[in-house]
Amino acid sequence: MRKFIWGLIVVIFCGGLIFLSLNSSKTLMTSDSGKITEKQFMTDLKKSSAGQQEFANMVINKVLAEQYGTNVSKSDVQDAFDTQKAQYGDAFKSTLASNNTTEEQFKTSIKNNLIVTEAVKANYKITDKEIQKAYKDYHQNTTISMITAKDEASAKNAIADLKSDNSWETVYKKYTTDKTYEKSNGQLPAFDSTSTTVDPAVQKAAFELSKVGDYTTSPITGSTGSYYVIKLDKTTTKPSLNSIRSKLSDQIVSKFLTDQKNTSKVQAIIGKVLRKENVNVKDAQLKTALNTYLTAGISSPGK
């Protein structure tokens, strides 16, 4: 089964349910068995674990967006969206549908994840040892063109056509199922090993190509289940550590976020921000919805 590359975050704040007016008697459903009003729906929703978590997500998104949202630009979100969309090819719309998600909701989820990353980055102390290791493993900016094939056989046929001296443009137009970068014949924006939107399998294959013009001679299977053919268009020299220190810091934070062992630490960081902003839940039924975050990282008396 294909899964979204939702990004990096252990705790994803998507926002799906809609909290309605508590006092509304508007009818949501009628039947021979009776009706359901907005007020009835809200009463049950607030009692449910899904409703409690949704409320927590709404609070967290609101507070973090206010504090760190300016660090995430529209172009950051769009670039991440385009790159992930390209990796799904013609299956993107059906994948959205199977996840009950629209493009705008997906973009919102990407934005929220990027904001959480900024919040954690601002509250996570990165050691020099971590920076040194990240730099040692770093691979510089690389530009590739990519064919997203409909299946493995098509990917193999595309490679066979390239070996028969057909041009990349011809082969790309014949076999790709993704049109995101059609104007550039499948060329993606440059990326390096700190990228969180380019499939790790695509990154690995791209970094293993040694010469401009080289292409993968066997299909690359991505984590989404898609098959790719990749051509190296451009590479650069490895920059100095100081010039990419911020990028390396982002990568360290991203890895910290994806490690499920750090879930409680992430919650503690979010809780610290919420407490600083004096979050106070007024509704009795939702009073404990944020306890996981607000109490995280606080030592018990005597400890």
Side-chain angles (χ1 to χ4, degrees):
M1 179 184 294
R2 290 182 178 180
K3 295 182 179 180
F4 267 122
I5 311 171
W6 285 110
L8 14 156
I9 308 217
V10 168
V11 188
I12 296 179
F13 309 111
C14 299
L17 301 172
I18 299 175
F19 278 76
L20 305 169
S21 171
L22 291 177
N23 299 317
S24 174
S25 59
K26 179 181 177 181
T27 299
L28 300 178
M29 184 279 294
T30 60
S31 72
D32 292 340
S33 301
K35 66 179 182 178
I36 295 176
T37 65
E38 282 186 1
K39 185 175 181 180
Q40 291 172 326
F41 173 69
M42 280 302 304
T43 299
D44 287 347
L45 180 61
K46 289 200 296 180
K47 293 178 182 178
S48 70
S49 59
Q52 294 270 322
Q53 185 58 57
E54 178 64 16
F55 174 74
N57 290 349
M58 290 175 70
V59 174
I60 292 166
N61 287 336
K62 182 176 182 63
V63 173
L64 296 190
E66 180 66 26
Q67 297 301 310
Y68 304 100
T70 56
N71 295 340
V72 177
S73 67
K74 288 184 179 180
S75 62
D76 291 334
V77 176
Q78 189 63 48
D79 287 347
F81 175 84
D82 288 342
T83 302
Q84 293 191 23
K85 180 181 178 182
Q87 293 172 77
Y88 280 90
D90 59 3
F92 183 67
K93 288 186 178 179
S94 61
T95 307
L96 283 175
S98 66
N99 284 272
N100 296 316
T101 304
T102 65
E103 288 193 1
E104 285 308 308
Q105 287 172 328
F106 188 34
K107 287 181 180 179
T108 297
S109 184
I110 289 172
K111 181 179 180 179
N112 289 340
N113 282 346
L114 292 175
I115 291 173
V116 173
T117 300
E118 290 297 323
V120 172
K121 182 181 176 182
N123 293 276
Y124 175 74
K125 186 174 176 58
I126 297 171
T127 66
D128 189 60
K129 184 178 180 180
E130 288 177 303
I131 289 287
Q132 293 290 343
K133 184 181 185 306
Y135 182 68
K136 181 180 178 181
D137 297 336
Y138 175 81
H139 193 285
Q140 66 270 19
N141 263 347
T142 300
T143 304
I144 64 168
S145 291
M146 184 173 74
I147 294 169
T148 304
K150 68 177 181 180
D151 51 35
E152 185 176 18
S154 295
K156 288 181 177 179
N157 289 337
I159 292 168
D161 284 3
L162 290 170
K163 288 181 177 179
S164 297
D165 292 329
N166 287 287
S167 70
W168 174 267
E169 180 180 359
T170 299
V171 177
Y172 170 80
K173 289 180 177 178
K174 181 177 180 180
Y175 290 102
T176 195
T177 64
D178 177 72
K179 306 297 183 182
T180 307
Y181 300 108
E182 184 177 18
K183 291 182 179 179
S184 59
N185 293 316
Q187 187 177 87
L188 275 63
F191 61 88
D192 59 17
S193 56
T194 68
S195 172
T196 57
T197 56
V198 176
D199 193 307
V202 172
Q203 288 190 43
K204 183 176 184 296
F207 298 153
E208 288 176 350
L209 295 172
S210 58
K211 188 174 63 176
V212 170
D214 284 354
Y215 54 85
T216 50
T217 55
S218 59
I220 304 303
T221 306
S223 60
T224 66
S226 296
Y227 293 95
Y228 308 113
V229 180
I230 297 164
K231 177 173 70 74
L232 180 62
D233 295 333
K234 183 180 179 181
T235 189
T236 57
T237 56
K238 187 172 182 176
S240 67
L241 187 154
N242 284 336
S243 68
I244 57 169
R245 185 177 289 272
S246 179
K247 271 192 170 187
L248 296 177
S249 296
D250 289 345
Q251 182 183 42
I252 291 167
V253 170
S254 295
K255 288 184 177 180
F256 171 77
L257 284 164
T258 56
D259 189 341
Q260 292 192 5
K261 292 185 295 185
N262 296 325
T263 299
S264 61
K265 294 179 181 178
V266 174
Q267 291 170 340
I269 289 172
I270 293 171
K272 177 183 176 183
V273 178
L274 297 181
R275 291 191 297 272
K276 185 179 178 182
E277 289 302 302
N278 298 313
V279 169
N280 184 13
V281 180
K282 302 294 187 180
D283 187 280
Q285 288 180 295
L286 297 170
K287 198 72 177 176
T288 62
L290 286 157
N291 277 4
T292 299
Y293 303 95
L294 292 175
T295 61
I298 300 178
S299 299
S300 301
K303 290 189 178 180

